[in-house]
Amino acid sequence: MTAIEEKTDILWEPSLSRVSHSQLKRFADFAAQPLYPYERLHRWSITRREEFWSLLWDYAGIIGEKGNDIYRPGETMIEDKWFPEATLNFAENLLRGDPERTAAQEADEEGLQQSISVKELRSRVARAQQGLQELGVEKGDRVAGIITNQIDGLVALLATTSLGAVWTSCSPDFGVKGITDRIGQVEPKVLIATVHYLYKGKAYDIRDKVKETFDHLPDTGALITQNGTIEGATSWETLLDSPAHTPSFEQVPFGHPLYILYTSGTTGLPKAIVHSTGGTLLQHVKEHQLHADVQRNDVLFWYTNTAWMMYPWLISGLASEATLLLYDGSPAPPHSLTHLWDIVDEAGITHFGTSPKYLETLQKEGVQLRHTHSLHTLKSLLSSGAPLAPEQYDWIYDTIKTDVLLASISGGTEIIGCFLLGSPIHPVKRGVLTCKALGMAVDVWDERGARVYEQKGDLVCTESFPSMPITFYGENGDERYRSSYFSKRPGIWTHGDLAEQTLDESFVIYGRADTTLNPGGIRIGTAELYRVTEHLPDVEDSLVFGWPTGNDEEIVLCITGDLSEEHAASIRREIRSKASPRHVPKRIYQVSSIPYTNNGKKVEGAAKTTALGGTVKNKASIQNPESLEAFIELSERTYY
């Protein structure tokens, strides 16, 4: 690619003023490091890791005792210890700052509903803390939530962590088995559950589901209900019936458990990943402040349910003294496809987090937000869950806002954060993830274990970092943890993504390595096809997987919507033109719907297993398991 071609791929560049006022510039000055070139700053952060993470603690003003020993190396990455002398409390670091400042705003399908100051949030946390203590909750106990993304759920989370207890949560739309497969593993002492919620204009009463779930948790001693009551349970109002106004904060070690998050679980029981207090906090303040450039009193929003890792990522915004926008409901309720953007203007959102799928829906519907909304407060648009297609970059700048920092980010539940993301000092280039995260020794390796550029390889991390998991909860947790990320390359974190590193050290993610297509021995990521198919106007949705044929495999594409020989030929032409002849599917099938996990990710593996006559081990992790029926005996059906 020539320099001229590279320049045309630049869609946005930060102004000198924006760079000079950025948190990243202030941190570089604080650390006495040059801001440019960024690659040098990154090399410093992974070479002098002890210095970097210690300075980050100081810059972010972490409340706690840091200690003198910052990093204690072990025999391998897993044995490394970060801040082994440190003590802190997570909730204390979030309930900080000006007591009159707005801590959170709450919105739903009808718009903004309420807000809460830091002072009032502290008071509610104090009362909930007192109620949990009366139920016997202590440091290290687990408290589980089946909750919506609202202020009451935030209070429950902060009250739990103020005690040094461990928080874990699921979304209320999960089925009983999907919930018990997750929180049932971790033996919570208390279950807090929302019993009514609204989605797409429809009211849901889940009291029976909550009661059945509670009955499946024999070690759980108390059930607390929000937004309604259940006979025999304690109401949320009763739990908070206390004169307490100021919470106490149990100081815990840096590596003390904070959260338990869960993998999708489509190949078996979801893995229960235990994350640390200090590691989570440091990772999130780094990403918010240095990469997303979240400033005090910014308004941070991510469209997420309480089961996805972006929920705790959002909540941590309080540690940067941002205001949270907590939203419960459909992103596109029946009355308005652009409802979330109405809230951007109403609430003054500065950072808007979403997914490529949502943006694709807006694009296909011809939404032109620049003509219908002000968006004058919006500074940054962030996307995760899947790679953004190059065409989506163009569409965002053409139809949403020209002066906005767009960041496609990539990481995972396993690290409760990001390996790759954006920054306020980089230009935004079409179709790539901007940079490596500071403090993360990210690389792309081939099968020899050699670094490669401009070719596909495995995304790896070669040095430890504070937000690595503590363990997997349950029997043989350490062994299962090692097997998941270190079995392919002992001592090296292999993340499971197929990726490419450009010469300027930006990145392209092609999809999960375990769903990689391999026709004729050529590795093709599923995202390479989705970048084409999901932007075709006549393709409603799509899914791709490899069909074994002896020692080789063929690419199978399944779409929803109308399909004919002419349409199939058109799809193949588009794929050949925009990807390559190797990407062209051998078979194209029409199916009624595409399977997704409860967190909104396509389930290629389950569809392939079903199509090949196998049994999907854990359908409870699929939000629409009935969609798999379309893949039964797929080979016997007509294709194009």
Side-chain angles (χ1 to χ4, degrees):
M1 181 180 290
T2 69
I4 293 176
E5 288 172 325
E6 287 181 350
K7 183 67 177 176
T8 61
D9 277 343
I10 294 177
L11 301 176
W12 177 87
E13 292 186 86
S15 66
L16 291 177
S17 174
R18 185 155 185 172
V19 171
S20 64
H21 289 93
S22 69
Q23 293 257 37
L24 187 52
K25 172 66 165 64
R26 290 200 291 270
F27 174 74
D29 291 345
F30 181 83
Q33 296 295 320
L35 182 63
Y36 293 109
Y38 177 84
E39 292 71 27
R40 184 202 178 279
L41 186 65
H42 180 266
R43 283 194 297 272
W44 164 75
S45 76
I46 63 172
T47 302
R48 301 179 185 174
R49 293 180 294 151
E50 181 176 349
E51 182 180 349
F52 168 74
W53 290 106
S54 178
L55 284 167
L56 178 65
W57 175 298
D58 297 338
Y59 176 80
I62 300 300
I63 301 168
E65 296 295 327
K66 184 170 68 170
N68 296 317
D69 193 358
I70 305 302
Y71 169 66
R72 192 175 295 167
E75 291 186 8
T76 67
M77 284 176 70
I78 291 183
E79 281 80 34
D80 287 356
K81 299 296 182 186
W82 287 97
F83 298 90
E85 298 175 353
T87 57
L88 73 166
N89 182 275
F90 183 77
E92 184 177 15
N93 276 276
L94 271 61
L95 293 169
R96 64 190 295 159
D98 179 0
E100 302 306 320
R101 186 180 66 78
T102 301
Q105 301 181 74
E106 180 182 294
D108 59 18
E109 294 183 2
E110 299 303 319
L112 281 180
Q113 296 300 319
Q114 62 173 317
S115 63
I116 188 170
S117 68
V118 172
K119 179 181 179 180
E120 176 59 23
L121 183 58
R122 287 174 182 161
S123 176
R124 289 197 206 179
V125 168
R127 301 200 300 273
Q129 180 191 70
Q130 180 67 36
L132 290 174
Q133 285 177 314
E134 291 174 0
L135 293 173
V137 175
E138 300 175 341
K139 181 168 68 175
D141 287 339
R142 277 78 57 209
V143 174
I146 308 171
I147 59 167
T148 53
N149 185 9
Q150 294 178 305
I151 288 173
D152 284 347
L154 172 64
V155 171
L157 183 157
L158 292 173
T160 297
T161 59
S162 71
L163 295 168
V166 185
W167 177 260
T168 190
S169 59
C170 286
S171 179
D173 59 336
F174 284 22
V176 172
K177 189 174 189 305
I179 296 171
T180 56
D181 278 355
R182 289 165 173 78
I183 65 177
Q185 295 184 57
V186 305
E187 306 162 303
K189 179 169 281 189
V190 173
L191 175 65
I192 301 173
T194 299
V195 296
H196 293 95
Y197 68 94
L198 190 76
Y199 191 82
K200 284 195 173 181
K202 180 180 178 181
Y204 289 85
D205 180 336
I206 60 167
R207 284 176 292 184
D208 289 344
K209 180 166 68 176
V210 169
K211 285 190 289 186
E212 186 179 351
T213 299
F214 185 65
D215 290 342
H216 280 82
L217 302 173
D219 298 312
T220 303
L223 171 62
I224 312 298
T225 60
Q226 295 181 342
N227 200 25
T229 59
I230 291 177
E231 185 177 354
T234 300
S235 72
W236 179 246
E237 291 73 21
T238 300
L239 184 80
L240 267 63
D241 186 13
S242 163
H245 286 289
T246 304
S248 60
F249 299 108
E250 179 74 26
Q251 301 299 299
V252 300
F254 186 90
H256 182 77
L258 172 72
Y259 288 130
I260 300 176
L261 305 182
Y262 306 93
T263 59
S264 60
T266 54
T267 58
L269 201 65
K271 301 179 185 71
I273 304 175
V274 185
H275 284 292
S276 71
T277 300
T280 299
L281 181 63
L282 265 190
Q283 186 72 271
H284 288 175
V285 296
K286 179 199 71 178
E287 293 175 0
H288 290 158
Q289 295 181 24
L290 305 190
H291 287 279
D293 200 33
V294 172
Q295 309 269 354
R296 181 178 293 130
N297 296 323
D298 277 350
V299 181
L300 179 63
F301 165 72
W302 204 290
Y303 180 75
T304 179
N305 64 31
T306 57
W308 192 22
M309 66 146 280
M310 296 315 297
Y311 176 66
W313 192 92
L314 170 65
I315 298 308
S316 291
L318 289 171
S320 297
E321 298 183 37
T323 296
L324 309 182
L325 191 288
L326 306 177
Y327 180 83
D328 177 54
S330 167
H335 62 83
S336 175
L337 185 63
T338 59
H339 180 60
L340 293 182
W341 302 95
D342 299 339
I343 294 173
V344 171
D345 283 342
E346 189 177 2
I349 289 173
T350 58
H351 294 70
F352 184 101
T354 186
S355 67
K357 186 66 179 175
Y358 171 70
L359 296 171
E360 176 200 329
T361 300
L362 298 182
Q363 184 177 1
K364 286 188 172 182
E365 291 296 325
V367 169
Q368 296 280 332
L369 292 169
R370 286 173 61 185
H371 302 314
T372 58
H373 292 72
S374 167
L375 308 184
H376 69 279
T377 61
L378 184 67
K379 298 192 294 188
S380 185
L381 178 60
L382 304 102
S383 175
S384 70
L388 270 178
E391 294 80 6
Q392 289 182 291
Y393 284 71
D394 298 329
W395 178 80
I396 286 165
Y397 283 103
D398 288 343
T399 66
I400 296 182
K401 191 173 183 178
T402 55
D403 185 19
V404 67
L405 170 56
L406 173 61
S408 181
I409 69 177
S410 180
T413 301
E414 308 92 328
I415 64 170
I416 202 166
C418 302
F419 281 131
L420 308 168
L421 64 183
S423 99
I425 69 167
H426 281 82
V428 173
K429 293 185 178 180
R430 185 177 191 266
V432 298
L433 285 75
T434 301
C435 63
K436 302 175 183 179
L438 291 172
M440 311 294 272
V442 186
D443 215 337
V444 175
W445 283 10
D446 64 12
E447 292 302 316
R448 302 168 299 158
R451 174 185 298 156
V452 291
Y453 290 93
E454 295 191 336
Q455 68 183 69
K456 295 168 191 169
D458 287 328
L459 188 70
V460 301
C461 190
T462 60
E463 301 287 354
S464 67
F465 47 93
S467 69
M468 288 173 62
I470 300 171
T471 188
F472 288 178
Y473 195 92
E475 188 176 356
N476 300 319
D478 289 350
E479 181 182 334
R480 290 184 287 122
Y481 171 26
R482 289 177 186 273
S483 175
S484 294
Y485 305 108
F486 297 97
S487 59
K488 185 171 183 178
R489 298 180 178 92
I492 300 294
W493 180 290
T494 301
H495 193 53
D497 281 347
L498 184 67
E500 178 182 331
Q501 185 170 197
T502 71
L503 293 179
D504 59 4
E505 296 192 353
S506 56
F507 288 78
V508 179
I509 300 293
Y510 291 106
R512 296 294 295 170
D514 56 7
T515 62
T516 297
L517 310 168
N518 200 26
I522 304 297
R523 296 179 82 186
I524 294 175
T526 54
E528 296 179 69
L529 281 96
Y530 295 144
R531 283 177 180 144
V532 180
T533 60
E534 299 200 346
H535 299 281
L536 298 176
D538 295 330
V539 175
E540 295 174 1
D541 204 352
S542 62
L543 182 141
V544 64
F545 59 85
W547 190 281
T549 55
N551 294 324
D552 201 353
E553 69 176 17
E554 298 173 346
I555 297 177
V556 170
L557 172 65
C558 301
I559 71 165
T560 60
D562 295 333
L563 183 61
S564 63
E565 285 191 21
E566 182 179 354
H567 188 200
S570 174
I571 292 171
R572 289 189 171 98
R573 283 195 300 271
E574 289 292 318
I575 293 172
R576 182 179 288 107
S577 170
K578 294 181 177 178
S580 83
R582 293 192 183 96
H583 292 74
V584 176
K586 186 74 172 180
R587 313 179 195 183
I588 302 179
Y589 290 95
Q590 181 186 32
V591 295
S592 55
S593 59
I594 301 297
Y596 282 86
T597 68
N598 286 316
N599 287 336
K601 296 186 178 182
K602 294 178 193 286
V603 194
E604 294 96 345
K608 179 178 179 178
T609 297
T610 303
L612 294 176
T615 301
V616 176
K617 294 181 180 179
N618 191 4
K619 291 184 180 180
S621 290
I622 301 174
Q623 66 175 241
N624 55 338
E626 70 283 355
S627 64
L628 294 176
E629 295 176 8
F631 294 86
I632 297 172
E633 297 181 349
L634 191 69
S635 62
E636 304 300 318
R637 294 173 48 195
T638 300
Y639 64 87
Y640 295 91

